[in-house]
Amino acid sequence: QVQLVESGGGSVQAGGSLRLSCLASGYTYRNGCMGWFRQAPGKKREGVAGIYFGGLSTVYDDSVKGRFTISHDSAENTVYLQMNSLKPEDTGMYYCAAESPPCQVVPGPSLAVGEYNYWGQGTQVTVSS
């Protein structure tokens, strides 16, 4: 059974950094895909970053390119999201998600909410100006 547990959220000022972690118990596919999503109050959940374990290809939403980095530690079964130069518009609940293989790998992992089968409970990120 797959279980995803996020941690690392918090409150920071604009320009600050946070690193989110997602421990993925029971998700040990070498060709798996995982992603980070966020949802602000009153808005739809949106994809932020995705990673394909097989070739470590990554994809980012345009709003976070150059500021966020997704990575995977296979030994720890953990996916990270390093967030730098945070902006108030980055505020929201951040969720990690996993997709049952085979997952989209060309041109990169999907950031579509509907493609992912497993979800964590979320961790709150608040960025103040």
Side-chain angles (χ1 to χ4, degrees), residues 5-59:
V5 179
E6 304 97 334
S7 61
S11 297
V12 295
Q13 290 191 327
S17 298
L18 285 173
R19 188 176 81 154
L20 306 184
S21 301
C22 176
L23 176 60
S25 302
Y27 189 81
T28 56
Y29 301 105
R30 292 185 179 181
N31 60 342
C33 289
M34 288 188 66
W36 284 97
F37 295 76
R38 67 186 178 192
Q39 188 167 16
K43 294 189 176 181
K44 292 183 179 179
R45 191 171 299 188
E46 61 179 5
V48 174
I51 186 166
Y52 167 56
F53 294 172
L56 293 180
S57 59
T58 57
V59 64

Side-chain angles (χ1 to χ4, degrees), residues 39-104:
Q39 188 167 16
K43 294 189 176 181
K44 292 183 179 179
R45 191 171 299 188
E46 61 179 5
V48 174
I51 186 166
Y52 167 56
F53 294 172
L56 293 180
S57 59
T58 57
V59 64
Y60 297 92
D61 183 76
D62 286 345
S63 65
V64 306
K65 280 181 182 176
R67 300 188 298 121
F68 290 11
T69 303
I70 188 171
S71 60
H72 174 234
D73 185 329
S74 58
E76 298 293 330
N77 226 19
T78 300
V79 171
Y80 299 97
L81 184 68
Q82 178 66 44
M83 306 187 296
N84 299 327
S85 301
L86 283 161
K87 304 175 180 180
E89 50 264 43
D90 294 318
T91 294
M93 186 70 78
Y94 281 69
Y95 300 89
C96 75
E99 183 177 0
S100 295
C103 49
Q104 176 183 305

